[in-house]
Amino acid sequence: MDFAFMYETLLTLIAGIPLTLKLALASVACGSVLALLLALLRMSGIAPLEWFARFYVFIFRSTPLLVQIFIIYYGLSQFREVRMSFAWPLLRDPYWCALLALSLNTAAYASEIFRGGLQAVPAGQIEAARAAGMTRLLLFRRIVLPLAIRQALPGYGNELILMIKATSLASIITLMEITGLAAKLISETYRAIEVFIVAGAIYLVINFVVTRLVQYAEYRLTPHLRPAPGAPATLTSGASA
Protein backbone atom coordinates (compact mmCIF):
# COMPACT_ATOMS: atom_id res chain seq x y z
CA MET A 1 0.00 0.00 0.00
CA ASP A 2 1.50 3.31 -1.08
CA PHE A 3 0.64 5.67 1.79
CA ALA A 4 2.34 8.64 0.15
CA PHE A 5 0.07 8.23 -2.88
CA MET A 6 -2.97 7.83 -0.61
CA TYR A 7 -2.10 11.08 1.15
CA GLU A 8 -1.87 12.87 -2.20
CA THR A 9 -5.20 11.26 -3.16
CA LEU A 10 -6.77 12.54 0.04
CA LEU A 11 -5.66 16.08 -0.74
CA THR A 12 -7.16 15.74 -4.22
CA LEU A 13 -10.50 14.27 -3.12
CA ILE A 14 -10.99 16.77 -0.30
CA ALA A 15 -11.71 19.33 -3.00
CA GLY A 16 -14.91 17.42 -3.81
CA ILE A 17 -16.33 17.53 -0.28
CA PRO A 18 -17.98 20.98 -0.61
CA LEU A 19 -19.92 19.91 -3.72
CA THR A 20 -20.93 16.61 -2.08
CA LEU A 21 -22.24 18.39 1.03
CA LYS A 22 -23.90 21.10 -1.05
CA LEU A 23 -25.78 18.51 -3.10
CA ALA A 24 -26.76 16.48 -0.04
CA LEU A 25 -27.94 19.41 2.09
CA ALA A 26 -29.83 21.15 -0.72
CA SER A 27 -31.59 17.96 -1.83
CA VAL A 28 -32.53 17.05 1.75
CA ALA A 29 -33.88 20.57 2.37
CA CYS A 30 -35.97 20.64 -0.83
CA GLY A 31 -36.98 16.99 -0.46
CA SER A 32 -38.13 17.38 3.15
CA VAL A 33 -40.55 20.18 2.21
CA LEU A 34 -41.97 18.10 -0.63
CA ALA A 35 -42.07 15.02 1.60
CA LEU A 36 -44.13 16.81 4.25
CA LEU A 37 -46.57 17.98 1.57
CA LEU A 38 -46.86 14.43 0.18
CA ALA A 39 -47.42 13.01 3.67
CA LEU A 40 -50.22 15.52 4.30
CA LEU A 41 -51.80 14.69 0.93
CA ARG A 42 -51.61 10.99 1.77
CA MET A 43 -53.40 11.61 5.08
CA SER A 44 -55.86 14.18 3.74
CA GLY A 45 -58.67 11.67 3.23
CA ILE A 46 -59.35 13.20 -0.21
CA ALA A 47 -59.13 10.35 -2.70
CA PRO A 48 -57.53 12.15 -5.73
CA LEU A 49 -54.85 13.79 -3.54
CA GLU A 50 -54.20 10.55 -1.69
CA TRP A 51 -53.84 8.56 -4.91
CA PHE A 52 -51.53 11.21 -6.41
CA ALA A 53 -49.23 10.90 -3.38
CA ARG A 54 -49.37 7.09 -3.58
CA PHE A 55 -48.52 7.15 -7.30
CA TYR A 56 -45.61 9.56 -6.77
CA VAL A 57 -44.12 7.44 -3.99
CA PHE A 58 -44.57 4.26 -6.02
CA ILE A 59 -42.83 5.70 -9.10
CA PHE A 60 -39.80 7.12 -7.32
CA ARG A 61 -39.33 4.22 -4.91
CA SER A 62 -39.69 1.58 -7.63
CA THR A 63 -37.16 2.97 -10.12
CA PRO A 64 -33.39 3.35 -9.66
CA LEU A 65 -32.08 6.79 -8.78
CA LEU A 66 -29.53 6.46 -11.58
CA VAL A 67 -32.35 6.05 -14.12
CA GLN A 68 -34.12 9.12 -12.69
CA ILE A 69 -30.94 11.19 -13.08
CA PHE A 70 -30.50 10.02 -16.68
CA ILE A 71 -34.13 10.80 -17.55
CA ILE A 72 -33.92 14.32 -16.11
CA TYR A 73 -30.46 15.15 -17.51
CA TYR A 74 -30.66 13.47 -20.93
CA GLY A 75 -34.39 12.83 -21.40
CA LEU A 76 -35.92 16.24 -20.81
CA SER A 77 -33.65 17.90 -23.37
CA GLN A 78 -35.30 15.77 -26.08
CA PHE A 79 -38.49 17.84 -25.83
CA ARG A 80 -38.55 21.15 -27.68
CA GLU A 81 -41.10 22.55 -25.22
CA VAL A 82 -38.61 22.01 -22.39
CA ARG A 83 -35.74 23.62 -24.32
CA MET A 84 -37.92 26.66 -25.04
CA SER A 85 -39.24 26.98 -21.49
CA PHE A 86 -38.03 29.29 -18.71
CA ALA A 87 -36.65 26.26 -16.86
CA TRP A 88 -34.15 25.31 -19.58
CA PRO A 89 -31.24 27.43 -18.20
CA LEU A 90 -31.46 25.26 -15.07
CA LEU A 91 -32.27 21.92 -16.69
CA ARG A 92 -29.26 22.08 -19.02
CA ASP A 93 -26.95 22.41 -16.01
CA PRO A 94 -25.85 19.03 -14.55
CA TYR A 95 -25.82 20.41 -11.00
CA TRP A 96 -29.48 21.44 -11.06
CA CYS A 97 -30.48 18.19 -12.78
CA ALA A 98 -28.72 16.17 -10.07
CA LEU A 99 -30.28 18.32 -7.36
CA LEU A 100 -33.74 17.88 -8.88
CA ALA A 101 -33.38 14.10 -9.16
CA LEU A 102 -32.02 13.73 -5.62
CA SER A 103 -34.75 15.97 -4.17
CA LEU A 104 -37.59 14.15 -5.92
CA ASN A 105 -36.16 10.78 -4.92
CA THR A 106 -35.62 11.54 -1.24
CA ALA A 107 -39.08 13.14 -1.03
CA ALA A 108 -40.68 9.80 -1.88
CA TYR A 109 -38.86 7.95 0.90
CA ALA A 110 -39.06 10.75 3.46
CA SER A 111 -42.80 11.19 2.93
CA GLU A 112 -43.39 7.67 4.21
CA ILE A 113 -41.15 8.36 7.21
CA PHE A 114 -43.03 11.60 7.95
CA ARG A 115 -46.38 9.86 7.52
CA GLY A 116 -45.35 7.26 10.09
CA GLY A 117 -44.26 10.04 12.46
CA LEU A 118 -47.54 11.92 12.04
CA GLN A 119 -49.58 8.79 12.65
CA ALA A 120 -47.55 8.01 15.79
CA VAL A 121 -48.60 11.23 17.54
CA PRO A 122 -50.70 10.16 20.55
CA ALA A 123 -54.39 10.94 20.06
CA GLY A 124 -54.67 11.97 23.70
CA GLN A 125 -52.29 14.89 23.21
CA ILE A 126 -54.27 16.08 20.18
CA GLU A 127 -57.52 15.91 22.13
CA ALA A 128 -55.95 17.78 25.05
CA ALA A 129 -54.75 20.53 22.71
CA ARG A 130 -58.23 20.81 21.17
CA ALA A 131 -59.77 20.97 24.62
CA ALA A 132 -57.41 23.84 25.41
CA GLY A 133 -58.88 25.76 22.48
CA MET A 134 -56.02 25.51 19.96
CA THR A 135 -56.84 26.15 16.34
CA ARG A 136 -55.95 23.44 13.79
CA LEU A 137 -52.93 25.37 12.53
CA LEU A 138 -51.65 26.10 16.02
CA LEU A 139 -52.22 22.48 17.06
CA PHE A 140 -50.24 21.26 14.04
CA ARG A 141 -47.38 23.72 14.59
CA ARG A 142 -47.00 23.31 18.36
CA ILE A 143 -48.10 19.74 19.03
CA VAL A 144 -48.33 17.49 15.98
CA LEU A 145 -45.28 18.61 13.99
CA PRO A 146 -42.72 18.62 16.87
CA LEU A 147 -43.91 15.19 18.07
CA ALA A 148 -43.91 13.82 14.51
CA ILE A 149 -40.36 15.08 13.91
CA ARG A 150 -39.22 13.40 17.12
CA GLN A 151 -40.86 10.13 16.12
CA ALA A 152 -39.48 10.26 12.56
CA LEU A 153 -35.95 11.41 13.40
CA PRO A 154 -34.30 7.93 13.74
CA GLY A 155 -35.69 6.82 10.38
CA TYR A 156 -34.90 10.14 8.73
CA GLY A 157 -31.30 9.87 9.94
CA ASN A 158 -30.93 6.79 7.76
CA GLU A 159 -32.35 8.73 4.81
CA LEU A 160 -29.76 11.49 5.36
CA ILE A 161 -26.95 8.95 5.21
CA LEU A 162 -28.41 7.38 2.06
CA MET A 163 -28.62 10.78 0.37
CA ILE A 164 -24.98 11.59 1.15
CA LYS A 165 -23.96 8.29 -0.46
CA ALA A 166 -26.38 8.86 -3.36
CA THR A 167 -24.58 12.08 -4.32
CA SER A 168 -21.86 9.84 -5.75
CA LEU A 169 -24.22 9.13 -8.69
CA ALA A 170 -23.93 12.79 -9.72
CA SER A 171 -20.46 11.96 -11.06
CA ILE A 172 -22.23 10.11 -13.91
CA ILE A 173 -23.34 13.47 -15.34
CA THR A 174 -19.87 15.06 -15.07
CA LEU A 175 -20.11 16.62 -11.59
CA MET A 176 -16.73 16.54 -9.86
CA GLU A 177 -17.74 15.69 -6.33
CA ILE A 178 -15.77 13.09 -4.31
CA THR A 179 -16.56 10.11 -6.55
CA GLY A 180 -16.16 12.18 -9.72
CA LEU A 181 -12.68 13.27 -8.66
CA ALA A 182 -11.87 9.68 -7.67
CA ALA A 183 -12.92 8.36 -11.10
CA LYS A 184 -10.82 11.05 -12.81
CA LEU A 185 -7.81 10.20 -10.65
CA ILE A 186 -8.18 6.48 -11.39
CA SER A 187 -8.28 7.14 -15.13
CA GLU A 188 -5.01 9.05 -14.81
CA THR A 189 -3.14 6.69 -12.44
CA TYR A 190 -4.84 3.25 -12.87
CA ARG A 191 -4.61 2.78 -9.09
CA ALA A 192 -8.20 2.03 -8.21
CA ILE A 193 -7.74 0.33 -4.83
CA GLU A 194 -5.94 3.18 -3.07
CA VAL A 195 -8.22 5.83 -4.55
CA PHE A 196 -11.44 4.02 -3.64
CA ILE A 197 -10.17 3.32 -0.10
CA VAL A 198 -9.54 7.04 0.42
CA ALA A 199 -12.89 7.99 -1.15
CA GLY A 200 -14.71 5.47 1.06
CA ALA A 201 -12.92 6.78 4.15
CA ILE A 202 -14.07 10.33 3.37
CA TYR A 203 -17.72 9.21 3.07
CA LEU A 204 -17.26 7.25 6.32
CA VAL A 205 -16.09 10.33 8.21
CA ILE A 206 -18.90 12.50 6.81
CA ASN A 207 -21.58 9.97 7.76
CA PHE A 208 -20.02 9.48 11.20
CA VAL A 209 -20.47 13.20 11.86
CA VAL A 210 -24.05 13.11 10.51
CA THR A 211 -25.03 10.16 12.73
CA ARG A 212 -23.62 11.92 15.80
CA LEU A 213 -25.58 15.10 14.94
CA VAL A 214 -28.80 13.10 14.47
CA GLN A 215 -28.26 11.32 17.79
CA TYR A 216 -27.70 14.66 19.52
CA ALA A 217 -30.87 16.10 17.96
CA GLU A 218 -32.80 13.01 19.05
CA TYR A 219 -31.41 13.39 22.56
CA ARG A 220 -32.42 17.05 22.76
CA LEU A 221 -35.93 16.42 21.38
CA THR A 222 -36.66 13.42 23.62
CA PRO A 223 -37.12 14.51 27.25
CA HIS A 224 -37.08 11.02 28.73
CA LEU A 225 -33.52 10.50 27.40
CA ARG A 226 -32.29 13.43 29.48
CA PRO A 227 -31.96 13.51 33.27
CA ALA A 228 -34.51 15.74 34.96
CA PRO A 229 -33.09 19.09 36.15
CA GLY A 230 -31.94 18.76 39.73
CA ALA A 231 -32.59 15.01 39.87
CA PRO A 232 -30.17 13.00 42.06
CA ALA A 233 -27.54 11.10 40.08
CA THR A 234 -28.53 7.83 41.76
CA LEU A 235 -32.13 8.19 40.58
CA THR A 236 -31.01 8.80 36.97
CA SER A 237 -28.66 5.84 36.95
CA GLY A 238 -31.29 3.65 38.54
CA ALA A 239 -33.87 4.60 35.91
CA SER A 240 -31.51 3.85 33.03
CA ALA A 241 -30.61 0.49 34.55
Side-chain angles (χ1 to χ4, degrees), residues 124-168:
Q125 298 202 23
I126 297 176
E127 292 176 2
R130 285 175 178 164
M134 285 190 179
T135 62
R136 295 187 59 160
L137 182 60
L138 188 62
L139 188 152
F140 181 79
R141 184 166 61 86
R142 288 192 176 179
I143 305 296
V144 175
L145 189 59
L147 290 175
I149 290 175
R150 192 176 72 189
Q151 299 285 353
L153 196 54
Y156 197 62
N158 291 331
E159 180 60 21
L160 293 177
I161 293 172
L162 290 174
M163 285 312 298
I164 290 172
K165 293 188 294 184
T167 56
S168 62

Short mmCIF file of all heavy atoms in Angstrom, two decimals, residues 124-168:
data_model
loop_
_atom_site.label_atom_id
_atom_site.label_comp_id
_atom_site.label_asym_id
_atom_site.label_seq_id
_atom_site.Cartn_x
_atom_site.Cartn_y
_atom_site.Cartn_z
N GLY A 124 -54.33 11.27 22.48
CA GLY A 124 -54.67 11.97 23.70
C GLY A 124 -54.11 13.38 23.75
O GLY A 124 -54.77 14.31 24.26
N GLN A 125 -52.89 13.56 23.20
CA GLN A 125 -52.29 14.89 23.21
C GLN A 125 -53.02 15.82 22.24
O GLN A 125 -53.15 17.01 22.50
CB GLN A 125 -50.81 14.79 22.85
CG GLN A 125 -50.02 13.95 23.84
CD GLN A 125 -48.54 14.26 23.82
OE1 GLN A 125 -48.14 15.33 23.41
NE2 GLN A 125 -47.74 13.32 24.30
N ILE A 126 -53.50 15.26 21.13
CA ILE A 126 -54.27 16.08 20.18
C ILE A 126 -55.59 16.51 20.81
O ILE A 126 -56.01 17.67 20.71
CB ILE A 126 -54.50 15.30 18.89
CG1 ILE A 126 -53.15 14.99 18.21
CG2 ILE A 126 -55.42 16.06 17.94
CD1 ILE A 126 -53.27 14.15 16.96
N GLU A 127 -56.25 15.58 21.49
CA GLU A 127 -57.52 15.91 22.13
C GLU A 127 -57.33 16.93 23.23
O GLU A 127 -58.15 17.84 23.42
CB GLU A 127 -58.14 14.63 22.69
CG GLU A 127 -58.60 13.66 21.60
CD GLU A 127 -59.11 12.36 22.21
OE1 GLU A 127 -59.13 12.25 23.45
OE2 GLU A 127 -59.48 11.46 21.41
N ALA A 128 -56.23 16.81 23.98
CA ALA A 128 -55.95 17.78 25.05
C ALA A 128 -55.72 19.17 24.48
O ALA A 128 -56.19 20.17 25.04
CB ALA A 128 -54.72 17.33 25.85
N ALA A 129 -55.00 19.24 23.33
CA ALA A 129 -54.75 20.53 22.71
C ALA A 129 -56.05 21.15 22.20
O ALA A 129 -56.27 22.35 22.31
CB ALA A 129 -53.76 20.37 21.56
N ARG A 130 -56.93 20.31 21.63
CA ARG A 130 -58.23 20.81 21.17
C ARG A 130 -59.06 21.30 22.34
O ARG A 130 -59.75 22.33 22.26
CB ARG A 130 -58.97 19.71 20.41
CG ARG A 130 -58.41 19.46 19.01
CD ARG A 130 -59.10 18.28 18.37
NE ARG A 130 -58.61 18.06 17.00
CZ ARG A 130 -58.82 16.95 16.33
NH1 ARG A 130 -59.49 15.94 16.88
NH2 ARG A 130 -58.35 16.83 15.10
N ALA A 131 -59.00 20.56 23.44
CA ALA A 131 -59.77 20.97 24.62
C ALA A 131 -59.26 22.29 25.17
O ALA A 131 -60.02 23.06 25.78
CB ALA A 131 -59.67 19.88 25.70
N ALA A 132 -57.97 22.57 24.95
CA ALA A 132 -57.41 23.84 25.41
C ALA A 132 -57.76 25.00 24.49
O ALA A 132 -57.37 26.14 24.76
CB ALA A 132 -55.89 23.72 25.53
N GLY A 133 -58.43 24.70 23.37
CA GLY A 133 -58.88 25.76 22.48
C GLY A 133 -57.93 26.10 21.35
O GLY A 133 -58.07 27.16 20.72
N MET A 134 -56.95 25.24 21.06
CA MET A 134 -56.02 25.51 19.96
C MET A 134 -56.72 25.39 18.62
O MET A 134 -57.55 24.49 18.42
CB MET A 134 -54.84 24.53 20.00
CG MET A 134 -53.83 24.80 21.08
SD MET A 134 -52.35 23.77 20.86
CE MET A 134 -51.36 24.33 22.24
N THR A 135 -56.35 26.28 17.70
CA THR A 135 -56.84 26.15 16.34
C THR A 135 -56.08 25.00 15.66
O THR A 135 -55.07 24.50 16.16
CB THR A 135 -56.59 27.44 15.55
OG1 THR A 135 -55.18 27.68 15.49
CG2 THR A 135 -57.27 28.62 16.23
N ARG A 136 -56.58 24.57 14.47
CA ARG A 136 -55.95 23.44 13.79
C ARG A 136 -54.52 23.76 13.39
O ARG A 136 -53.61 22.93 13.52
CB ARG A 136 -56.76 23.07 12.55
CG ARG A 136 -58.14 22.54 12.87
CD ARG A 136 -58.82 22.04 11.63
NE ARG A 136 -58.08 20.98 10.97
CZ ARG A 136 -58.61 20.12 10.13
NH1 ARG A 136 -59.88 20.18 9.86
NH2 ARG A 136 -57.87 19.20 9.56
N LEU A 137 -54.28 25.00 12.93
CA LEU A 137 -52.93 25.37 12.53
C LEU A 137 -51.99 25.43 13.72
O LEU A 137 -50.86 24.95 13.67
CB LEU A 137 -52.96 26.73 11.81
CG LEU A 137 -51.62 27.25 11.29
CD1 LEU A 137 -51.03 26.27 10.28
CD2 LEU A 137 -51.78 28.63 10.67
N LEU A 138 -52.47 26.02 14.81
CA LEU A 138 -51.65 26.10 16.02
C LEU A 138 -51.37 24.72 16.60
O LEU A 138 -50.27 24.42 17.06
CB LEU A 138 -52.36 26.97 17.06
CG LEU A 138 -51.54 27.32 18.32
CD1 LEU A 138 -50.31 28.13 17.95
CD2 LEU A 138 -52.40 28.07 19.32
N LEU A 139 -52.39 23.85 16.57
CA LEU A 139 -52.22 22.48 17.06
C LEU A 139 -51.17 21.75 16.24
O LEU A 139 -50.31 21.04 16.78
CB LEU A 139 -53.56 21.75 16.99
CG LEU A 139 -53.65 20.36 17.62
CD1 LEU A 139 -55.08 20.10 18.07
CD2 LEU A 139 -53.21 19.27 16.67
N PHE A 140 -51.21 21.94 14.91
CA PHE A 140 -50.24 21.26 14.04
C PHE A 140 -48.83 21.79 14.29
O PHE A 140 -47.87 21.02 14.35
CB PHE A 140 -50.63 21.47 12.57
CG PHE A 140 -49.70 20.80 11.61
CD1 PHE A 140 -49.80 19.43 11.37
CD2 PHE A 140 -48.73 21.52 10.94
CE1 PHE A 140 -48.93 18.80 10.50
CE2 PHE A 140 -47.86 20.89 10.06
CZ PHE A 140 -47.97 19.54 9.83
N ARG A 141 -48.72 23.12 14.45
CA ARG A 141 -47.38 23.72 14.59
C ARG A 141 -46.76 23.44 15.95
O ARG A 141 -45.55 23.20 16.03
CB ARG A 141 -47.51 25.23 14.37
CG ARG A 141 -46.19 25.99 14.39
CD ARG A 141 -46.35 27.39 13.84
NE ARG A 141 -47.29 28.18 14.60
CZ ARG A 141 -46.96 28.88 15.69
NH1 ARG A 141 -45.71 28.84 16.14
NH2 ARG A 141 -47.86 29.58 16.33
N ARG A 142 -47.58 23.43 17.01
CA ARG A 142 -47.00 23.31 18.36
C ARG A 142 -47.04 21.88 18.92
O ARG A 142 -46.24 21.56 19.79
CB ARG A 142 -47.73 24.25 19.31
CG ARG A 142 -47.41 25.71 19.09
CD ARG A 142 -47.92 26.54 20.24
NE ARG A 142 -47.54 27.93 20.11
CZ ARG A 142 -47.89 28.86 20.98
NH1 ARG A 142 -48.62 28.53 22.03
NH2 ARG A 142 -47.52 30.11 20.82
N ILE A 143 -47.95 21.07 18.45
CA ILE A 143 -48.10 19.74 19.03
C ILE A 143 -47.74 18.64 18.02
O ILE A 143 -46.83 17.84 18.25
CB ILE A 143 -49.55 19.52 19.53
CG1 ILE A 143 -49.95 20.64 20.51
CG2 ILE A 143 -49.68 18.15 20.19
CD1 ILE A 143 -49.14 20.68 21.78
N VAL A 144 -48.46 18.62 16.91
CA VAL A 144 -48.33 17.49 15.98
C VAL A 144 -46.95 17.47 15.32
O VAL A 144 -46.26 16.43 15.33
CB VAL A 144 -49.45 17.55 14.91
CG1 VAL A 144 -49.24 16.44 13.88
CG2 VAL A 144 -50.81 17.41 15.58
N LEU A 145 -46.53 18.60 14.74
CA LEU A 145 -45.28 18.61 13.99
C LEU A 145 -44.05 18.31 14.86
O LEU A 145 -43.22 17.47 14.49
CB LEU A 145 -45.12 19.95 13.26
CG LEU A 145 -43.95 20.02 12.27
CD1 LEU A 145 -44.10 18.95 11.19
CD2 LEU A 145 -43.88 21.40 11.62
N PRO A 146 -43.90 18.96 16.03
CA PRO A 146 -42.72 18.62 16.87
C PRO A 146 -42.70 17.16 17.29
O PRO A 146 -41.64 16.51 17.27
CB PRO A 146 -42.88 19.54 18.09
CG PRO A 146 -43.71 20.68 17.61
CD PRO A 146 -44.65 20.09 16.61
N LEU A 147 -43.88 16.60 17.67
CA LEU A 147 -43.91 15.19 18.07
C LEU A 147 -43.63 14.27 16.88
O LEU A 147 -42.94 13.25 17.01
CB LEU A 147 -45.28 14.85 18.68
CG LEU A 147 -45.55 15.47 20.06
CD1 LEU A 147 -46.98 15.17 20.49
CD2 LEU A 147 -44.57 14.96 21.08
N ALA A 148 -44.14 14.64 15.70
CA ALA A 148 -43.91 13.82 14.51
C ALA A 148 -42.43 13.83 14.12
O ALA A 148 -41.88 12.79 13.73
CB ALA A 148 -44.77 14.34 13.35
N ILE A 149 -41.79 15.00 14.23
CA ILE A 149 -40.36 15.08 13.91
C ILE A 149 -39.57 14.19 14.86
O ILE A 149 -38.65 13.48 14.45
CB ILE A 149 -39.88 16.55 13.99
CG1 ILE A 149 -40.49 17.35 12.84
CG2 ILE A 149 -38.37 16.62 13.94
CD1 ILE A 149 -40.19 18.83 12.89
N ARG A 150 -39.94 14.23 16.14
CA ARG A 150 -39.22 13.40 17.12
C ARG A 150 -39.40 11.92 16.83
O ARG A 150 -38.46 11.13 16.94
CB ARG A 150 -39.74 13.72 18.52
CG ARG A 150 -38.87 13.14 19.62
CD ARG A 150 -39.36 13.57 20.96
NE ARG A 150 -40.60 12.91 21.33
CZ ARG A 150 -41.34 13.23 22.39
NH1 ARG A 150 -40.96 14.21 23.16
NH2 ARG A 150 -42.44 12.58 22.67
N GLN A 151 -40.61 11.54 16.42
CA GLN A 151 -40.86 10.13 16.12
C GLN A 151 -40.14 9.69 14.84
O GLN A 151 -39.69 8.55 14.72
CB GLN A 151 -42.37 9.90 15.94
CG GLN A 151 -43.23 10.22 17.15
CD GLN A 151 -43.10 9.16 18.23
OE1 GLN A 151 -42.48 8.13 18.04
NE2 GLN A 151 -43.67 9.43 19.39
N ALA A 152 -40.04 10.62 13.87
CA ALA A 152 -39.48 10.26 12.56
C ALA A 152 -37.97 10.41 12.49
O ALA A 152 -37.36 9.94 11.52
CB ALA A 152 -40.13 11.14 11.48
N LEU A 153 -37.37 11.06 13.50
CA LEU A 153 -35.95 11.41 13.40
C LEU A 153 -35.04 10.19 13.21
O LEU A 153 -34.13 10.24 12.37
CB LEU A 153 -35.53 12.20 14.63
CG LEU A 153 -34.22 12.97 14.52
CD1 LEU A 153 -34.23 13.88 13.30
CD2 LEU A 153 -33.97 13.77 15.77
N PRO A 154 -35.21 9.08 13.97
CA PRO A 154 -34.30 7.93 13.74
C PRO A 154 -34.36 7.42 12.31
O PRO A 154 -33.32 7.14 11.71
CB PRO A 154 -34.82 6.89 14.75
CG PRO A 154 -35.48 7.69 15.82
CD PRO A 154 -36.12 8.84 15.11
N GLY A 155 -35.57 7.29 11.76
CA GLY A 155 -35.69 6.82 10.38
C GLY A 155 -35.16 7.83 9.38
O GLY A 155 -34.53 7.45 8.38
N TYR A 156 -35.37 9.11 9.66
CA TYR A 156 -34.90 10.14 8.73
C TYR A 156 -33.38 10.25 8.76
O TYR A 156 -32.77 10.64 7.76
CB TYR A 156 -35.53 11.48 9.09
CG TYR A 156 -35.43 12.48 7.97
CD1 TYR A 156 -36.04 12.23 6.75
CD2 TYR A 156 -34.72 13.66 8.12
CE1 TYR A 156 -35.94 13.14 5.70
CE2 TYR A 156 -34.62 14.57 7.08
CZ TYR A 156 -35.24 14.29 5.88
OH TYR A 156 -35.14 15.18 4.84
N GLY A 157 -32.76 9.89 9.89
CA GLY A 157 -31.30 9.87 9.94
C GLY A 157 -30.73 8.89 8.92
O GLY A 157 -29.71 9.17 8.28
N ASN A 158 -31.38 7.74 8.77
CA ASN A 158 -30.93 6.79 7.76
C ASN A 158 -31.07 7.37 6.36
O ASN A 158 -30.22 7.15 5.49
CB ASN A 158 -31.76 5.50 7.85
CG ASN A 158 -31.45 4.73 9.11
OD1 ASN A 158 -30.34 4.81 9.64
ND2 ASN A 158 -32.42 3.98 9.61
N GLU A 159 -32.14 8.12 6.13
CA GLU A 159 -32.35 8.73 4.81
C GLU A 159 -31.26 9.78 4.53
O GLU A 159 -30.79 9.90 3.40
CB GLU A 159 -33.74 9.35 4.75
CG GLU A 159 -34.09 10.02 3.43
CD GLU A 159 -34.06 9.07 2.24
OE1 GLU A 159 -34.16 7.85 2.45
OE2 GLU A 159 -33.90 9.55 1.11
N LEU A 160 -30.84 10.52 5.55
CA LEU A 160 -29.76 11.49 5.36
C LEU A 160 -28.47 10.81 4.91
O LEU A 160 -27.79 11.28 3.99
CB LEU A 160 -29.51 12.26 6.67
CG LEU A 160 -30.62 13.19 7.15
CD1 LEU A 160 -30.24 13.80 8.50
CD2 LEU A 160 -30.86 14.29 6.14
N ILE A 161 -28.17 9.68 5.57
CA ILE A 161 -26.95 8.95 5.21
C ILE A 161 -27.06 8.41 3.78
O ILE A 161 -26.10 8.48 3.00
CB ILE A 161 -26.73 7.80 6.21
CG1 ILE A 161 -26.40 8.38 7.59
CG2 ILE A 161 -25.62 6.88 5.75
CD1 ILE A 161 -26.35 7.35 8.68
N LEU A 162 -28.22 7.90 3.43
CA LEU A 162 -28.41 7.38 2.06
C LEU A 162 -28.25 8.48 1.02
O LEU A 162 -27.70 8.25 -0.06
CB LEU A 162 -29.80 6.73 1.94
CG LEU A 162 -29.98 5.41 2.70
CD1 LEU A 162 -31.43 4.94 2.61
CD2 LEU A 162 -29.06 4.34 2.14
N MET A 163 -28.73 9.68 1.33
CA MET A 163 -28.62 10.78 0.37
C MET A 163 -27.17 11.22 0.19
O MET A 163 -26.75 11.55 -0.92
CB MET A 163 -29.47 11.97 0.82
CG MET A 163 -30.95 11.78 0.63
SD MET A 163 -31.37 11.17 -1.02
CE MET A 163 -30.78 12.49 -2.05
N ILE A 164 -26.40 11.23 1.28
CA ILE A 164 -24.98 11.59 1.15
C ILE A 164 -24.27 10.59 0.24
O ILE A 164 -23.48 10.97 -0.64
CB ILE A 164 -24.33 11.64 2.54
CG1 ILE A 164 -24.86 12.85 3.32
CG2 ILE A 164 -22.81 11.73 2.42
CD1 ILE A 164 -24.42 12.89 4.76
N LYS A 165 -24.58 9.30 0.41
CA LYS A 165 -23.96 8.29 -0.46
C LYS A 165 -24.49 8.40 -1.89
O LYS A 165 -23.78 8.14 -2.86
CB LYS A 165 -24.19 6.89 0.11
CG LYS A 165 -23.46 6.65 1.42
CD LYS A 165 -23.56 5.23 1.87
CE LYS A 165 -24.98 4.84 2.23
NZ LYS A 165 -25.08 3.47 2.76
N ALA A 166 -25.78 8.78 -2.02
CA ALA A 166 -26.38 8.86 -3.36
C ALA A 166 -25.79 9.99 -4.20
O ALA A 166 -25.87 9.95 -5.43
CB ALA A 166 -27.89 9.04 -3.23
N THR A 167 -25.18 10.99 -3.54
CA THR A 167 -24.58 12.08 -4.32
C THR A 167 -23.46 11.57 -5.23
O THR A 167 -23.08 12.24 -6.19
CB THR A 167 -24.02 13.17 -3.40
OG1 THR A 167 -23.08 12.58 -2.48
CG2 THR A 167 -25.13 13.83 -2.60
N SER A 168 -22.93 10.39 -4.91
CA SER A 168 -21.86 9.84 -5.75
C SER A 168 -22.35 9.58 -7.18
O SER A 168 -21.55 9.58 -8.12
CB SER A 168 -21.31 8.54 -5.14
OG SER A 168 -22.33 7.56 -5.08
#
